[in-house]
Amino acid sequence: MNQPALQRLGTDADALRAAATHLRDGHLVAFPTETVYGLGADAGNDHAVAGIFAAKGRPSFNPLIVHLAERDAVQALVRWSDAAEALSDAFWPGPLTLVLPLMPGAPVSRLVTAGLDSLAVRMPAHPVARALLAEFGGPVAAPSANRSGQISPTTAQHVEQGLGDRIAALVDAGRCDVGLESTILGLTGQPTLLRPGGITAAQIETVLGRPLAQRRDTEAITAPGQLLSHYAPTAPVRLNATQWRQGEARLGFGAVKADLNLSERGDLTEAAANLFDYLHRLDATGAKAIAVSPIPHRGLGIAINDRLSRAAAPRG
């Protein structure tokens, strides 16, 4: 389905009504969440969902997350569980995605699930995202609003640079607060961490009262964000750099001199919020490579290192 020329929208009621109309018409709409900007389409419209894969150049075996405004709307699509109840009480709305068994007959395109019998669902916390979802009144499939495998967008400018000619509307609400995609937890069997994110494994384990299983990269893809090469700038990325090499763009952390510093005071929350934006900026310099200081592998640092390791992975 052809997209109309890009309409850049604000966040007032009229703008969100216009964005919801685009979604109902089968068009693609980029909108902010607390994590990154999402590329939204009506999750029940096969043609609209296919448009997401076409716009991003995303592999069709890579499932999508469905966003909804209310928990009862989520429960209409998936088989709910005591674990889902406890986790949604603790973390929704917020940056946690749950993968649950798909309810038979749920009005969701099979393209969303990549043919699996499970569905990734979340309730975003961003007030603009929630208002748009409420205005639309249905499930919205929304991966990050960038070309597949490239750096995720945390500003409207990032979206426009990457997808401006491929989407119908862009809701601009400024910079995203969290800056890393949601944590993804599999609940189709033993609770399994499928992708680290803003909600840590330790926080989830505290709520569940049990340790989480960990997905291995050699296992089949069951949720977004599991491709080995992902979140990548054009320039190759070198990790755990303690010394800089000539021609590299330097991304620091802590008390080091660099072109950009994720957090001079060593704050992992600040580093997470800055990560994708700073990778965009350094990539735009045309540097031959981007070198990154070591990031502590604890708390949010686990999610940051996950994104960096995928950005630095060999590219097919």
Side-chain angles (χ1 to χ4, degrees), residues 30-64:
F31 64 95
T33 75
E34 72 277 19
T35 57
V36 299
Y37 273 76
L39 179 60
D42 179 354
N45 183 327
D46 288 331
H47 292 289
V49 175
I52 290 177
F53 288 93
K56 286 177 62 70
R58 183 184 179 96
S60 60
F61 57 78
N62 199 1
L64 305 175

Side-chain angles (χ1 to χ4, degrees), residues 38 52 56 59 63-64 68 83 92 96 117 120 132 171 181 206 223 227 233-234 250 252 255 310:
I52 290 177
K56 286 177 62 70
L64 305 175
L68 297 115
W92 279 4
L96 176 66
D117 292 326
L132 174 58
V171 179
E181 294 86 355
T206 297
L227 294 175
T234 301
R250 301 166 296 177
R310 295 177 192 277

